[in-house]
Amino acid sequence: MKKQIAALFTVLALFLSMGTFVSAEQATDQMKKTVEDGLKKEHKDMKEGTLTISDIQSFPNEDSELDASEVTIGIAHFETVRDNIFYFDHSKFVFYNPDTNELVAEAAAAKANPKLIDYKDAHESDIGTHMDVVVVTLLLSILIIVPLLILTVWEKRQYLTTKFKIENNLFNQDNLYR
């Protein structure tokens, strides 16, 4: 009986935990296209097809100067590639006006609803730029490997006159120790 109750409780907890993911708002195609166009203006080296928008929420507009009924906020994740070597993963807040299909400036969105600031504070740890360090580490390792190769492989093949003179007794050192 205890095993059945534990199994029932586990299944119930599993279904309740999935409920939060199901109710999340999804980005529309128009929103993705607008955000991608806005980010391409800012990041010329943005990699094609890497944009995803997560944690989307809409808040009603309380600012009379902003021409929108609501402001949608989300976290945009995308990649940039510089010189085909340096890969960066970016995460940043995007503010979207669904009425006019335009991006909203952060200052204007902050005036629109104070809940947007609370949203930003709650998700501040998700924002940032991260560099793929594998390529940079390989490039920096060349700075160590090449001199080591020169010292170990090439230097051993160099002609050393002192070694030659000692081996052929040109310093006449054998007479000193006899």
Side-chain angles (χ1 to χ4, degrees), residues 116-168:
L116 288 167
I117 297 170
D118 296 336
Y119 176 90
K120 279 184 58 180
D121 292 340
H123 293 85
E124 194 68 39
S125 62
D126 300 336
I127 302 303
T129 301
H130 305 286
M131 182 177 186
D132 186 13
V133 295
V134 173
V135 175
V136 175
T137 305
L138 289 175
L139 289 173
L140 290 175
S141 68
I142 290 173
L143 292 174
I144 296 171
I145 292 171
V146 170
L148 285 176
L149 286 174
I150 290 172
L151 287 173
T152 58
V153 175
W154 182 72
E155 187 66 30
K156 285 182 181 179
R157 295 180 181 155
Q158 293 298 308
Y159 178 70
L160 186 59
T161 57
T162 306
K163 184 177 179 184
F164 176 78
K165 288 181 179 182
I166 291 172
E167 288 175 355
N168 294 308

Side-chain angles (χ1 to χ4, degrees), residues 45 80-88 131-132 135-136 139:
D45 52 359
T80 58
V81 180
R82 293 183 184 163
D83 301 329
N84 292 325
I85 296 175
F86 303 106
Y87 290 82
F88 293 92
M131 182 177 186
D132 186 13
V135 175
V136 175
L139 289 173

